[in-house]
């Protein structure tokens, strides 16, 4: 993941030079998708990893509920509220 972050920032820095123009033509579509992929990876790591092990807890239920809300095309504020409510409910029950 650190390599992806470094590569993303490196390509942005190279964009100023002549070399960056050639690289951007070849890798442009991939570079535009990198921030979304990095954010998704961060969400997965923060949700399912605890001390180097796979953990399924209230956070996973909240992310799943938020994913369902996104799938149902709910507004962003509602997605966040649903995910928070489900996470809080699962934590209260356990």
């Amino acid at each position: 993941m650190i390599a992806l972050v470094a590569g993303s920032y490196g390509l942005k820095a190279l964009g100023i030079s002549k070399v960056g123009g050639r690289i951007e033509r070849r890798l442009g579509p991939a570079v535009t998708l990198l921030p979304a992929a990095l954010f998704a990876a961060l969400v997965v790591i923060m949700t399912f990893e605890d001390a180097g092990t796979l953990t399924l807890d209230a956070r996973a239920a909240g992310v799943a509920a938020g994913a369902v809300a996104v799938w149902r095309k709910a507004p962003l504020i509602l997605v966040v509220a649903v995910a928070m409510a489900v996470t809080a409910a699962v934590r209260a029950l356990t």
Side-chain angles (χ1 to χ4, degrees):
M1 183 147 147
I2 293 173
L4 286 174
V5 171
S8 179
Y9 281 114
L11 286 173
K12 296 286 183 185
L14 279 176
I16 299 169
S17 67
K18 287 184 179 182
V19 176
R22 288 183 288 196
I23 292 174
E24 189 172 344
R25 280 192 296 274
R26 291 182 184 165
L27 300 177
V31 172
T32 58
L33 295 175
L34 273 177
L38 291 172
F39 183 69
L42 181 64
V43 168
V44 168
I45 288 171
M46 290 179 65
T47 302
F48 298 110
E49 189 267 335
D50 187 28
T53 60
L54 177 66
T55 304
L56 294 174
D57 58 1
R59 296 175 293 180
V63 168
V68 170
V70 167
W71 175 62
R72 301 287 299 172
K73 297 184 179 166
L76 179 62
I77 191 72
L78 184 60
V79 171
V80 173
V82 166
M84 287 173 29
V86 169
T87 301
V90 171
R91 284 185 177 164
L93 294 174
T94 58

